[in-house]
Amino acid sequence: MKIKSIALTLFAALSIAFSANAQKTIVDVAVGSSDHTTLVAAVKAADLVAVLQGAGPFTVFAPTNAAFAKLPAGTVETLLKPENKATLAKILTYHVVSGNLNAAAVVNAIKGAKNSFKVKTVSGGTLTASLKDGKVILTDEKGGVSTVVATDLGASNGVIHVIDSVVLPK
């Protein structure tokens, strides 16, 4: 009986924890990540918080702080200025796709499209997903390449995949 009680308590605690995580939006998940402080600052500067807390579902390819650091010196600081809000919003929404594309769906789409799958972003641009050495690679409209380094970070309104470079629209 004691084991059953402990098991039920553990199950209840896990259910509560899972439920709490399932209620976090994409923004909440990003805010909770020390690797995405630059992204969070950019989302706030572009006034996209409300959008990314919306119903979705969204698939977000989220660049890390290190990804932003790869941009030329001063780029992030310039983009965060109020007068560059529209440009920043276009870049950030280029990292967002409508719908909930988990890692398996992305890989299946790539394989089904003969190793190259084009996906339309919320900004209206196109990202090309492909596989290289078993990893998903994103190629932007300028020929820049980013590797997906973590997948399927779930949120109540979509999914996040972490990328190692910022992708840029035309």
Side-chain angles (χ1 to χ4, degrees):
M1 188 68 160
K2 191 173 186 178
I3 292 175
K4 184 177 180 183
S5 176
I6 292 170
L8 286 173
T9 302
L10 180 59
F11 177 74
L14 288 173
S15 294
I16 290 168
F18 178 74
S19 177
N21 282 339
Q23 297 304 315
K24 290 183 177 184
T25 66
I26 285 170
V27 172
D28 298 328
V29 173
V31 166
S33 168
S34 61
D35 288 330
H36 290 93
T37 56
T38 304
L39 177 62
V40 170
V43 167
K44 289 177 181 177
D47 281 336
L48 292 174
V49 171
V51 172
L52 293 174
Q53 285 181 327
F58 304 108
T59 299
V60 176
F61 295 100
T64 61
N65 295 338
F68 281 101
K70 290 179 182 179
L71 294 172
T75 301
V76 173
E77 294 77 11
T78 299
L79 287 170
L80 291 176
K81 291 180 179 179
E83 61 267 25
N84 296 319
K85 182 176 162 181
T87 300
L88 180 60
K90 182 175 181 179
I91 291 169
L92 293 175
T93 56
Y94 188 66
H95 290 80
V96 181
V97 176
S98 291
N100 193 343
L101 297 174
N102 65 22
V106 172
V107 170
N108 287 339
I110 292 167
K111 289 179 178 177
K114 299 182 182 175
N115 288 335
S116 180
F117 169 66
K118 293 191 182 294
V119 62
K120 191 83 155 170
T121 68
V122 170
S123 74
T126 302
L127 285 170
T128 302
S130 59
L131 289 172
K132 182 178 180 184
D133 299 326
K135 294 184 179 184
V136 173
I137 305 297
L138 299 177
T139 304
D140 65 28
E141 294 170 330
K142 292 184 173 189
V145 176
S146 183
T147 302
V148 177
V149 295
T151 61
D152 295 339
L153 303 175
S156 61
N157 61 342
V159 63
I160 300 169
H161 304 299
V162 179
I163 57 176
D164 68 354
S165 298
V166 176
V167 289
L168 298 169
K170 284 184 181 176

